[in-house]
């Protein structure tokens, strides 16, 4: 369940503002991975609960139809000012009740959002995510099999409530999908994040290597052992 101290938009803003510049400065790993995973398809994207929306912005800068969204107006206003030059579309959205029509986007994704909720809330989020998507719902969650990461989050949560996160394994995700009753053609579970992310350090030191690094890293994730993987990416191909 979302920590009690973060239930209101103002509470979330106060906590999130301490992190946003750090997120904006970091590589848009999820966007890079999505661009790689769906590389042969021209698709439209919506990022739910995007916070910094760096991943949907990355996809937009790759000339794809991509919209970032978050429920926090202060964050969105900051991003509007920060990226006014690229006309990146941002929308204030409640992920439990999105303003978009059914089947608006090809892919609706979020990265890490489920970690603050119980199963009842998650089922509601997944159904709403699938409602506005006509092809894929993509969910990234923290990996319970990575014990070192679990321990690190527990330690950091003492000082920062944003780290009071829920971790998942594939069995838990399977059960949630089953309970949701969503019609789907298939589901895949991919590895995301981990030791190979260290390669992103090279693009900061040697910028001309950036295209190679961003092509290579998402393709290397699959070779990591599960106990070293940061997150599980669940890709649901909807049956619509």
């Amino acid at each position: 369940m979302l920590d009690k101290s973060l239930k209101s938009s103002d509470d979330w803003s106060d906590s999130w503002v301490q992190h946003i510049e750090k997120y904006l400065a970091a590589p848009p790993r999820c966007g890079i991975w999505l661009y790689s995973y769906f590389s042969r398809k021209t698709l439209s994207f919506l990022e739910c609960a995007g916070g910094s929306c760096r991943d949907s912005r990355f996809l937009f800068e790759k000339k794809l139809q991509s919209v970032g969204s978050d429920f926090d107006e202060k964050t969105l206003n900051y991003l509007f000012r920060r990226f006014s030059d690229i006309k990146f579309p941002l929308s204030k959205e409640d992920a439990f009740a999105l303003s978009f029509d059914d089947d608006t986007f090809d892919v609706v994704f979020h990265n890490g959002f489920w970690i603050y909720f119980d199963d009842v809330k998650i089922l509601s989020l997944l159904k709403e995510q699938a409602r506005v998507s006509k092809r894929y719902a993509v969910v990234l969650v923290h990996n319970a099999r990575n014990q070192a990461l679990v321990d690190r989050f527990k330690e950091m949560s003492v000082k920062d409530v944003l780290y009071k996160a829920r971790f998942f394994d594939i069995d838990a995700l399977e059960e949630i999908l089953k309970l949701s009753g969503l019609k789907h053609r298939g589901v895949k579970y991919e590895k995301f994040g981990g030791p190979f992310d260290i390669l992103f350090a090279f693009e900061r030191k040697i910028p001309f290597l950036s295209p190679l690094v961003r092509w290579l890293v998402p393709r290397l994730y699959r070779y990591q052992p599960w106990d070293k993987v940061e997150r599980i990416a669940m890709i649901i191909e909807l049956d619509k």
Side-chain angles (χ1 to χ4, degrees), residues 1-16 71 116 157-164:
M1 193 71 160
L2 185 64
D3 189 88
K4 292 180 180 179
S5 64
L6 294 177
K7 281 188 175 179
S8 76
S9 180
D10 287 340
D11 291 336
W12 180 265
S13 295
D14 293 340
S15 184
W16 172 242
F71 81 113
Y116 297 114
S157 69
V158 175
K159 295 183 178 180
D160 190 338
V161 293
L162 287 184
Y163 289 95
K164 289 186 177 179

Side-chain angles (χ1 to χ4, degrees), residues 71-239:
F71 81 113
D72 181 49
E73 191 167 0
K74 291 180 182 178
T75 298
L76 292 174
N77 287 337
Y78 180 85
L79 294 173
F80 274 122
R81 294 192 300 271
R82 185 82 151 70
F83 301 107
S84 60
D85 58 325
I86 66 168
K87 308 300 182 185
F88 170 50
L90 290 162
S91 181
K92 183 180 178 182
E93 297 290 339
D94 177 354
F96 291 92
L98 297 165
S99 66
F100 303 103
D101 292 337
D102 295 359
D103 306 333
T104 300
F105 300 92
D106 293 306
V107 181
V108 181
F109 73 95
H110 55 78
N111 186 6
F113 191 47
W114 279 10
I115 65 176
Y116 297 114
F117 299 100
D118 60 24
D119 284 357
V120 174
K121 295 281 189 180
I122 285 172
L123 288 171
S124 177
L125 285 169
L126 179 57
K127 289 176 182 178
E128 181 64 359
Q129 182 181 358
R131 180 186 68 78
V132 301
S133 174
K134 53 189 171 185
R135 298 186 67 178
Y136 298 96
V138 179
V139 176
L140 278 79
V141 295
H142 290 65
N143 174 27
R145 291 178 62 180
N146 187 333
Q147 190 59 49
L149 187 64
V150 172
D151 293 341
R152 182 153 60 90
F153 267 58
K154 184 176 181 180
E155 180 180 349
M156 294 174 73
S157 69
V158 175
K159 295 183 178 180
D160 190 338
V161 293
L162 287 184
Y163 289 95
K164 289 186 177 179
R166 179 180 176 184
F167 284 73
F168 295 78
D169 57 24
I170 290 175
D171 288 343
L173 295 174
E174 285 278 351
E175 184 63 20
I176 289 168
L177 180 57
K178 179 181 177 181
L179 290 172
S180 74
L182 287 181
K183 293 182 179 180
H184 58 283
R185 296 178 180 176
V187 58
K188 294 182 179 179
Y189 298 95
E190 300 287 348
K191 299 173 180 178
F192 174 86
F196 284 121
D197 284 330
I198 197 172
L199 294 175
F200 283 118
F202 287 100
E203 72 172 10
R204 290 192 292 270
K205 295 178 181 177
I206 313 174
F208 76 83
L209 287 179
S210 181
L212 174 61
V213 170
R214 295 185 174 202
W215 180 88
L216 186 61
V217 170
R219 290 168 171 80
L220 291 176
Y221 285 153
R222 68 192 66 176
Y223 300 109
Q224 300 170 144
W226 271 110
D227 63 354
K228 301 296 183 184
V229 171
E230 179 188 338
R231 306 187 189 201
I232 304 169
M234 178 168 67
I235 306 100
I236 306 166
E237 184 178 5
L238 301 168
D239 185 9

Side-chain angles (χ1 to χ4, degrees), residues 40-54:
R40 297 183 181 180
K41 300 179 177 67
T42 302
L43 303 173
S44 57
F45 294 83
L46 170 68
E47 181 176 12
C48 296
S52 70
C53 294
R54 66 185 183 192

